[in-house]
Amino acid sequence: MTNKTPKSTRTGVQSVERVFELLELVTDAGGDAALSELAASTDLPLPTIHRLLRTLVSLGYARQLPNRRYALGPRLIRIGEAASRQFGALARPQLKRLVDSLGESANMAVLDGDMVVYVAQVPSRHSMRMFTEVGRRAHLHDTGVGKAILAQLPDETVRGIVTRAGMPTPTEHSIGSVDDLLIELDAIRGRGFAIDDQEQEIGVRCFSMAVPGAPTPTAVSVSGPVSRVDEAFGERAVPLLREAATAIVAELAH
């Protein structure tokens, strides 16, 4: 945490801006931060930071850990869950367009701590289809959406995530080592999309793409049986995924 946040040039209630600045700094630090780390990352005076944090703690939006670090508080969970539902609702029209065009199930997922959580899905109309429950959490290293998200992060951050979360191998195709994962992420960055090639479940393939400019690391995907989701399918899916990601960001801007 070395880059200081610039002073706000927007009009608005200054104390509100400062509160959200601190919450974002704690979030960027991984969910908890020391007072000294926060002071090094913002131009806010130390007494102001301390006063605002004490207020957030008293309201339940932050908590102080036994080691004196400050962490995000439990009252933020309800707000975050509601925001995720709204984010998913915003994306559903784009997911439906993917299903209408490609015929396979479409999903959107976001980074949640060291896991990925699905926030929206539109299922395929095929009787044999992929179904992922909204709210389901999954590992990042063996899912299409997870790898698309990881490819947007620095290697050091990726190492930290998979070290904490672990790297289970549910199928023989799953990536089981950090080094192999980093090689895969380099390939994803080069081609612009991720593939889950039977890494979560035998017989299932998924094409996924990150949503650049989203407020939190996000990815959209289409998935289905390998008999239908093949290389030719991918050639059709990738540009449509890119259009969907662009449209979602544009909708957020409104």
Side-chain angles (χ1 to χ4, degrees), residues 34-237:
L35 191 63
S36 59
E37 293 172 342
L38 294 172
S41 301
T42 177
D43 290 325
L44 296 178
L46 188 61
T48 299
I49 297 173
H50 191 247
R51 174 174 55 82
L52 293 174
L53 286 172
R54 285 176 62 88
T55 300
L56 288 169
V57 169
S58 69
L59 294 172
Y61 294 109
R63 59 192 179 97
Q64 191 168 29
L65 304 176
N67 60 5
R68 310 299 293 173
R69 294 172 70 85
Y70 287 91
L72 299 176
R75 290 197 69 182
L76 291 171
I77 295 173
R78 186 167 63 93
I79 296 174
E81 289 177 343
S84 292
R85 288 195 297 271
Q86 290 300 312
F87 190 19
L90 176 147
R92 276 186 62 83
Q94 296 305 322
L95 300 184
K96 185 176 183 303
R97 289 189 181 94
L98 287 171
V99 175
D100 290 344
S101 299
L102 297 167
E104 303 298 341
S105 299
N107 297 283
M108 186 172 78
V110 301
L111 181 65
D112 182 25
D114 295 330
M115 304 286 279
V116 65
V117 60
Y118 291 87
V119 296
Q121 182 187 71
V122 175
S124 165
R125 291 182 292 274
H126 290 291
S127 57
M128 186 173 67
R129 64 190 181 188
M130 287 305 302
F131 179 80
T132 299
E133 183 180 357
V134 172
R136 172 179 170 253
R137 290 163 59 84
H139 284 86
L140 290 144
H141 72 283
D142 59 0
T143 56
V145 286
K147 291 193 292 182
I149 288 172
L150 287 178
Q152 308 301 303
L153 305 177
D155 285 354
E156 181 181 354
T157 302
V158 172
R159 287 183 181 276
I161 288 173
V162 297
T163 297
R164 292 187 296 269
M167 297 185 69
T169 53
T171 81
E172 63 188 53
H173 303 285
S174 307
I175 297 174
S177 76
V178 178
D179 289 341
D180 287 345
L181 176 62
L182 294 178
I183 292 172
E184 172 73 0
L185 296 181
D186 278 341
I188 292 169
R189 293 175 186 124
R191 66 177 178 249
F193 61 93
I195 306 172
D196 164 8
D197 194 359
Q198 306 185 77
E199 295 164 51
Q200 263 278 304
E201 184 178 346
I202 293 295
V204 176
R205 187 173 289 125
C206 168
F207 287 84
S208 182
M209 185 171 294
V211 180
T216 190
T218 303
V220 290
S221 69
V222 286
S223 56
V226 293
S227 59
R228 298 195 303 257
V229 180
D230 53 14
E231 184 176 348
F233 176 92
E235 291 176 356
R236 292 189 293 122

